[in-house]
Amino acid sequence: MKIAVASDNGKTITGHVGKCEMFIVFDINNKEITGIEKRINTFTMHKKEGHRHENHHDEHNPNQQGVGKHLGIIEGLKDCNYLFCCSGGQGLMSDLNANGIQTIFTDEVDAEDAVKLFLADKLKSDPNKQCSGHSH
């Protein structure tokens, strides 16, 4: 199993998934962390070179079958089972879930602590932390 965590600094969990600097990917085996990889975020629309906010919706691929509008992040995290973040847009969360990546919203700050709490079935999550619009 793999758990991705949206982060800006490689240590703590960040809010807006599309704007995060990286994803910390934890390899899990028998409820233990067996490896950690940092993937620089070059695959969300907010991080691609030349992205302009007003073109945000035009740059998504609404015609892509089975991945919804968020092909880049789905491809970048396709080997992950979960994505931990503080908040995220409803469309992204729906597209991730449709492609086997379950989103966990948490107020936990430290990425590794959140993963350990999750593995111990003690992580508090709030499914109502989806955001709408781009004022987040």
Side-chain angles (χ1 to χ4, degrees), residues 4 7 10 14 24 27 31 40 48 52 56 60 65 77 80-81 87 112 120 122 129 131:
S7 181
T14 193
I24 310 165
D27 285 306
K31 292 201 169 206
I40 301 302
K48 287 187 177 181
R52 293 179 25 172
H56 177 73
H60 286 292
Q65 293 289 328
L77 299 177
C80 298
N81 306 90
S87 65
E112 190 168 341
K122 295 181 180 179
K129 294 191 79 166
C131 51

Side-chain angles (χ1 to χ4, degrees), residues 56-123:
H56 177 73
H57 294 287
D58 295 337
E59 291 176 337
H60 286 292
N61 186 352
N63 299 318
Q64 185 70 35
Q65 293 289 328
V67 294
K69 299 177 179 181
H70 299 94
L71 179 61
I73 191 170
I74 291 166
E75 282 297 309
L77 299 177
K78 66 183 173 187
D79 61 333
C80 298
N81 306 90
Y82 296 93
L83 171 62
F84 290 7
C85 58
C86 295
S87 65
Q90 184 177 13
L92 173 61
M93 301 309 115
S94 177
D95 287 348
L96 288 171
N97 287 333
N99 286 277
I101 304 169
Q102 183 179 348
T103 306
I104 305 291
F105 297 114
T106 182
D107 288 329
E108 193 66 38
V109 175
D110 185 271
E112 190 168 341
D113 287 348
V115 171
K116 288 178 180 177
L117 286 168
F118 178 77
L119 296 173
D121 295 322
K122 295 181 180 179
L123 181 67

Side-chain angles (χ1 to χ4, degrees), residues 13 15-16 43 53-57 85 90 99 110 130 133:
I13 301 173
H16 193 293
F43 42 81
H53 185 77
E54 59 270 18
N55 295 335
H56 177 73
H57 294 287
C85 58
Q90 184 177 13
N99 286 277
D110 185 271
Q130 290 184 12

